[in-house]
Amino acid sequence: MVEIVVAEHAGFCFGVKRAISIAEQSSELSKQGKRVFTMGPLIHNPQEVERLRRKGVELLHTEDALKSGDTVIIRSHGIPPQKERQLKGLGLNVVDATCPYVKAVHDAVAKLSKEGYFVVLVGEKSHPEVIGTLGYLEESGGKGTVVESFDDLKAVLGKDKVGIVAQTTQNEQFFKEVVGEIALWAKEVKVINTICNATSERQEDVYKLAPEVDLMIIIGGKNSGNTRRLYEISRSLNPNSYHIETADDIKPEWFIGVKKVGITAGASTPDWVINSVVEMIREVSKEYKNS
């Protein structure tokens, strides 16, 4: 049978576990006939979002559906403070499940702004965490930009005093490269490394594991930024890498001649999904044993 190695830090991180726990506690309200929603997917894992829906925690598709007294859970990625005030103004019960590490980014941009720095947020422009963080930058009266690629650095040219933070799930290597590039021309640079430990640990696991196996499987939502980055890192080290959401995505032909499989999962991937993938790999690999 094929050897399966699961990365040490695969799956749920602290912030996701906390958000899930908060949502499950709030789901008790649905048993009392009260409505419970999340502002966007609580976490970037469709399977876990569906599990919570079955427990009574609905995904909010339009704010027009909200009524006074409804419970709204702020997703783990956070939202702009202006939006939070608006929700509370509607008479809603607002429950904050924002990851504490994301809140640290909010604090960091506010601090840099007050100290007079032009703020560079290294991250994905359309990601909800980045959108929420920009709201805190605006709240503090600061100015800044999001750097998703090196082309975005044009907006930073000519800025003498630059403060740099990162989306919590950002690729560490890209963050280092952006910091190094800005340091070449800015007169003063202040860096607050807001990449969370969970992200660093999962990326380090991939750097170690991917070159040592014949096949690498990365499990997580297709909408999960941290999972995509794990896949990108793995693919750069081992071309035989695949990003899947569930065991149903596995193709038996991947395992032809494969003796050792590495598995990791994004920070929003539950254990039950990881375990089902491991079981599926054991089943399909039997067919191609020693082939």
Side-chain angles (χ1 to χ4, degrees):
M1 186 176 289
V2 69
E3 179 184 357
I4 300 172
V5 182
V6 179
E8 180 181 356
H9 300 101
F12 276 179
C13 64
F14 162 75
V16 167
K17 287 179 182 177
R18 177 178 174 275
I20 295 294
S21 176
I22 289 172
E24 288 182 331
Q25 290 170 30
S26 297
S27 73
E28 294 298 313
L29 294 170
S30 67
K31 297 177 182 177
Q32 304 168 22
K34 298 179 180 179
R35 303 198 307 169
V36 181
F37 298 95
T38 61
M39 286 289 294
L42 181 73
I43 62 172
H44 278 155
N45 184 272
Q47 293 73 38
E48 188 66 9
V49 168
E50 172 59 21
R51 186 186 72 82
L52 289 170
R53 189 194 66 77
R54 292 196 297 268
K55 292 175 74 73
V57 181
E58 297 286 345
L59 178 62
L60 182 64
H61 295 289
T62 171
E63 292 177 32
D64 294 337
L66 292 171
K67 299 176 183 177
S68 179
D70 287 344
T71 292
V72 175
I73 304 171
I74 296 176
R75 62 199 298 175
S76 59
H77 311 98
I79 60 174
Q82 304 89 337
K83 174 58 69 176
E84 185 174 350
R85 284 196 299 271
Q86 180 187 344
L87 293 173
K88 289 179 177 177
L90 295 174
L92 302 168
N93 174 32
V94 179
V95 178
D96 192 359
T98 306
C99 173
Y101 289 105
V102 173
K103 283 189 173 292
V105 188
H106 299 166
D107 293 341
V109 298
K111 174 181 170 62
L112 291 170
S113 174
K114 289 173 183 175
E115 293 175 354
Y117 289 94
F118 180 84
V119 177
V120 168
L121 171 55
V122 182
E124 299 168 82
K125 295 174 184 177
S126 61
H127 195 282
E129 179 188 324
V130 170
I131 293 169
T133 300
L134 289 176
Y136 280 87
L137 178 61
E138 180 184 343
E139 186 89 343
S140 63
K143 296 186 182 301
T145 191
V146 179
V147 171
E148 187 171 340
S149 69
F150 286 114
D151 288 341
D152 297 320
L153 287 172
K154 294 173 185 176
V156 194
L157 284 169
K159 307 296 182 184
D160 290 334
K161 192 173 179 180
V162 181
I164 311 173
V165 298
Q167 181 182 334
T168 56
T169 57
Q170 186 54 229
N171 182 300
E172 284 189 321
Q173 185 58 41
F174 180 62
F175 182 63
K176 291 175 185 176
E177 290 171 0
V178 169
V179 170
E181 186 67 25
I182 292 174
L184 292 175
W185 70 72
K187 291 182 179 178
E188 182 180 342
V189 176
K190 184 169 184 176
V191 180
I192 303 178
N193 183 0
T194 50
I195 297 176
C196 75
N197 291 338
T199 297
S200 301
E201 290 169 345
R202 281 154 185 74
Q203 291 182 8
E204 287 168 8
D205 282 351
V206 172
Y207 278 115
K208 292 176 185 175
L209 184 57
E212 298 177 353
V213 297
D214 303 312
L215 171 69
M216 192 73 187
I217 301 288
I218 298 86
I219 314 165
K222 297 293 184 177
N223 59 343
S224 167
N226 79 85
T227 304
R228 284 198 308 273
R229 275 180 282 280
L230 292 177
Y231 169 69
E232 289 163 3
I233 293 169
S234 181
R235 184 82 177 174
S236 71
L237 300 166
N238 185 335
N240 206 18
S241 297
Y242 298 93
H243 177 183
I244 67 172
E245 278 198 359
T246 68
D248 291 339
D249 296 331
I250 291 173
K251 298 185 185 304
E253 58 266 28
W254 293 347
F255 299 90
I256 298 175
V258 168
K259 293 182 173 58
K260 189 173 184 180
V261 177
I263 295 177
T264 191
S268 298
T269 308
D271 285 345
W272 60 270
V273 171
I274 298 172
N275 293 338
S276 68
V277 168
V278 170
E279 287 306 311
M280 179 65 80
I281 290 173
R282 284 179 179 148
E283 287 301 313
V284 300
S285 64
K286 289 176 184 177
E287 183 180 346
Y288 294 100
K289 184 179 180 182
N290 299 323
S291 56

